[in-house]
Amino acid sequence: MKFSCCFICVFTVLINKVCLEVTIVAVTGGSVILPCSSAKHSHELQDINVHWRHSGSTIVYDITKGKDLIAKQDQRFKNRAETFPDEYVRGNFSIRLINLTDADAGKYICYITHSDEWEIVQLIINGTKSTVQEDQGTDTGAGSVRTSLFWTDVRRAQLTSA
């Protein structure tokens, strides 16, 4: 009994250090929110440093000392990426991408430096807004987004209960 309890505790600690990859399906021309949140729920603005990257090194968005820093942002994301500054103190560093293109597909990494946390979001671009609206029998990916956000909430709950 003690062994299984210890195993569960060790497994829970290890799970908290593993970053789950979230997959989101969106359409060309649409918009999407890429989730990123910290397990820590209260943050001081001056301590907040978050870096969003696409395909490993392309700068999508930076938040430095609680302020948006877009001077070094890649041109492809200028005026198309936005955050939710009122949510920073609650640990929500999600970004919204608008006017999606096929080039936006791929892996996004959100690194929260002050708490050493990171999340990976895989964005799949599936058709265009008009194609999806015409074909009502096709899954638009909204279910994928809801599922992804559900698992993010589950992960957050696991992190806070540990």
Side-chain angles (χ1 to χ4, degrees), residues 88-107:
Y88 295 168
V89 293
R90 291 179 202 61
N92 180 1
F93 307 108
S94 302
I95 61 171
R96 179 191 332 264
L97 293 179
I98 62 172
N99 299 322
L100 294 170
T101 68
D102 289 334
D104 292 328
K107 192 170 287 195

Side-chain angles (χ1 to χ4, degrees), residues 43-157:
H43 297 271
E44 298 294 327
L45 280 178
Q46 69 272 9
D47 297 333
I48 294 173
N49 294 299
V50 179
H51 307 284
W52 274 97
R53 299 295 181 263
H54 179 246
S55 300
S57 61
T58 303
I59 299 172
V60 178
Y61 213 95
D62 283 332
I63 302 165
T64 303
K65 297 188 179 194
K67 297 190 183 301
D68 299 341
L69 183 65
I70 57 172
K72 295 181 181 178
Q73 183 181 43
D74 188 271
Q75 278 301 119
R76 288 190 317 121
F77 296 102
K78 292 266 187 211
N79 301 314
R80 294 194 322 114
E82 60 187 25
T83 60
F84 308 94
D86 294 341
E87 293 292 316
Y88 295 168
V89 293
R90 291 179 202 61
N92 180 1
F93 307 108
S94 302
I95 61 171
R96 179 191 332 264
L97 293 179
I98 62 172
N99 299 322
L100 294 170
T101 68
D102 289 334
D104 292 328
K107 192 170 287 195
Y108 290 80
I109 298 172
C110 170
Y111 180 54
I112 307 167
T113 60
H114 61 282
S115 58
D116 196 30
E117 298 173 88
W118 50 280
E119 290 196 34
I120 297 173
V121 181
Q122 181 71 37
L123 177 60
I124 297 171
I125 304 295
N126 190 8
T128 63
K129 285 171 81 171
S130 60
T131 305
V132 172
Q133 289 169 350
E134 289 171 10
D135 185 6
Q136 294 179 358
T138 302
D139 180 10
T140 63
S144 299
V145 173
R146 280 193 297 276
T147 301
S148 298
L149 293 176
F150 169 77
W151 284 112
T152 300
D153 289 341
V154 168
R155 180 173 166 262
R156 190 176 306 128

